[in-house]
């Protein structure tokens, strides 16, 4: 064997022996981490707004250490991270999983509160009333679900630190849902679907008695007009009496606004 061949063989052997240094086979710094180290790193990412990184670390923590307080906390904070990312489906899924696994957890009130927030979809302050998009103009399904979750929280945990804000949000949601029903009733009235209009207006009064006075006034006015146009004089007069008692200055209360002989026929 000549010297050049021997040199190449020696070089190859040196590469094999020191391969890790040559090819950068670095040790994973998380290999020896315990649950507290994983949780601390994930919490730091969460606090810095790096929600995707936080989720990955929380998931690794739960995978490696599925039992104990750190895993439970990770499950809840994964839900919060998805909420902050705007991924409602993943957030709700994580919350439902947490509640199913830990139905008696001491932080169950927070889980319910977060679920209500996810459906609420607007981070309103306790007394905020003006937002860029009215919840009444949206599909009310999420608003109804949000209301029911906040209601459950308040009923089950009346002394919770989240109960006060939940009550304020419930008030806003009642107003938004009532306003939505008024909008629908007005739409049906314009489309001459008078019975549907009257029914939706009545829902405002029966389902949302705490709705703001303006929405209740509008609902009663819609009922007066809808019943009048259907020729249902008795129901029209009953609605008008309630309107007069609660809102005496409403234009529909004025004598002659609705005639004794119904004028609904002229609209058909």
């Amino acid at each position: 064997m000549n010297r050049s061949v021997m040199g190449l063989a020696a070089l190859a052997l040196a590469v094999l022996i020191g391969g890790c240094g040559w090819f950068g086979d670095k040790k994973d710094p998380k290999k020896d981490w315990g649950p507290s180290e994983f949780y601390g790193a994930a919490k730091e990412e969460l606090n810095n707004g790096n929600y995707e990184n936080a989720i990955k670390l929380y998931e690794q923590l739960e995978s490696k250490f599925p039992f104990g307080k750190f895993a439970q906390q990770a499950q809840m904070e994964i839900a919060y991270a998805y909420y902050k990312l705007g991924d409602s489906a993943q957030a709700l899924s994580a919350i439902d999983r947490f509640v199913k696994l830990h139905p008696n957890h001491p932080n169950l009130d927070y889980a319910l509160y977060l679920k209500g927030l996810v459906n609420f979809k607007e981070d309103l302050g306790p007394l905020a009333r003006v937002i860029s998009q009215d919840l009444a103009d949206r599909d009310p399904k999420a608003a109804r679900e949000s209301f029911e979750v906040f209601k459950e929280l308040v009923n089950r945990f009346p002394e919770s630190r989240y109960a006060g804000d939940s009550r304020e949000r419930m008030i806003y949601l009642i107003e938004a849902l009532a306003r939505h029903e008024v909008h629908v009733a007005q739409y049906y009235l314009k489309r001459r679907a008078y019975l549907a209009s009257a029914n939706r207006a009545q829902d405002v009064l029966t389902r949302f008695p705490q709705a703001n006075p303006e929405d209740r006034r509008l609902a009663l006015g819609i009922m007066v007009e809808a019943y009048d146009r259907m020729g249902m004089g008795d129901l029209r007069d009953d609605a008008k009496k309630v309107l007069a008692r609660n809102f005496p200055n409403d234009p529909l209360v004025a004598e002659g606004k609705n005639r004794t002989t119904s004028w609904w026929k002229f609209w058909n």
Side-chain angles (χ1 to χ4, degrees):
M1 182 180 295
N2 58 39
R3 291 184 177 180
S4 61
V5 174
M6 290 178 64
L8 289 172
L11 179 61
L13 181 60
V15 169
L16 289 174
I17 293 173
C20 356
W22 279 70
F23 293 102
D25 185 11
K26 297 179 181 179
K27 181 180 178 181
D28 183 0
K30 300 191 295 293
K31 182 179 179 181
D32 299 323
W33 279 10
S36 61
E37 286 82 7
F38 270 104
Y39 181 79
K43 187 69 172 177
E44 183 176 358
E45 294 287 357
L46 187 72
N47 291 339
N48 290 332
N50 301 321
Y51 303 118
E52 292 180 351
N53 291 341
I55 290 170
K56 291 177 183 177
L57 287 167
Y58 283 131
E59 288 176 341
Q60 291 178 46
L61 162 59
E62 191 180 359
S63 175
K64 291 178 179 291
F65 308 98
F67 306 106
K69 63 178 184 179
F70 289 109
Q72 292 180 12
Q73 191 65 23
Q75 293 166 7
M76 196 69 265
E77 292 185 14
I78 284 173
Y80 176 77
Y82 276 123
Y83 163 66
K84 296 298 288 184
L85 281 173
D87 192 335
S88 298
Q90 289 281 21
L92 291 172
S93 177
I95 295 168
D96 289 341
R97 176 172 175 264
F98 177 86
V99 173
K100 184 177 181 180
L101 291 173
H102 315 289
N104 299 312
H105 195 278
N107 293 331
L108 185 60
D109 59 336
Y110 173 72
L112 292 173
Y113 179 68
L114 183 57
K115 186 173 183 179
L117 288 182
V118 173
N119 281 313
F120 193 72
K121 297 182 183 298
E122 290 289 348
D123 189 16
L124 299 175
L127 300 177
R129 285 294 178 271
V130 180
I131 56 176
S132 58
Q133 183 183 13
D134 193 336
L135 282 177
D137 295 328
R138 303 180 183 182
D139 182 347
K141 181 176 182 292
R144 291 193 187 102
E145 291 175 355
S146 181
F147 178 84
E148 291 302 324
V149 173
F150 286 136
K151 182 179 178 181
E152 180 182 358
L153 189 160
V154 168
N155 289 339
R156 292 181 62 182
F157 307 100
E159 303 302 321
S160 167
R161 61 185 292 189
Y162 308 108
D165 187 65
S166 296
R167 291 187 184 96
E168 292 290 344
R169 292 176 188 271
M170 287 172 66
I171 292 171
Y172 178 85
L173 287 166
I174 286 173
E175 294 176 359
L177 289 168
R179 204 155 52 245
H180 174 82
E181 292 299 306
V182 169
H183 290 181
V184 174
Q186 289 172 331
Y187 170 80
Y188 282 140
L189 191 63
K190 291 177 182 177
R191 301 285 295 182
R192 301 183 183 181
Y194 302 128
L195 181 59
S197 177
N199 288 340
R200 296 304 283 261
Q202 188 173 28
D203 278 350
V204 175
L205 305 176
T206 57
R207 292 173 57 196
F208 309 109
Q210 296 95 356
N212 69 59
E214 178 62 15
D215 289 326
R216 289 187 281 115
R217 184 187 70 81
L218 290 172
L220 284 166
I222 290 169
M223 291 171 65
V224 171
E225 291 198 27
Y227 288 136
D228 190 77
R229 295 182 188 188
M230 288 188 290
M232 298 179 175
D234 290 342
L235 291 176
R236 175 202 63 203
D237 292 342
D238 288 343
K240 192 171 181 179
K241 288 176 184 177
V242 176
L243 181 65
R245 184 166 60 248
N246 290 277
F247 306 98
N249 295 323
D250 187 276
L252 283 178
V253 174
E255 191 66 31
K257 177 65 177 178
N258 295 110
R259 302 172 186 173
T260 304
T261 303
S262 294
W263 43 269
W264 63 277
K265 295 179 182 178
F266 293 105
W267 292 82
N268 293 306

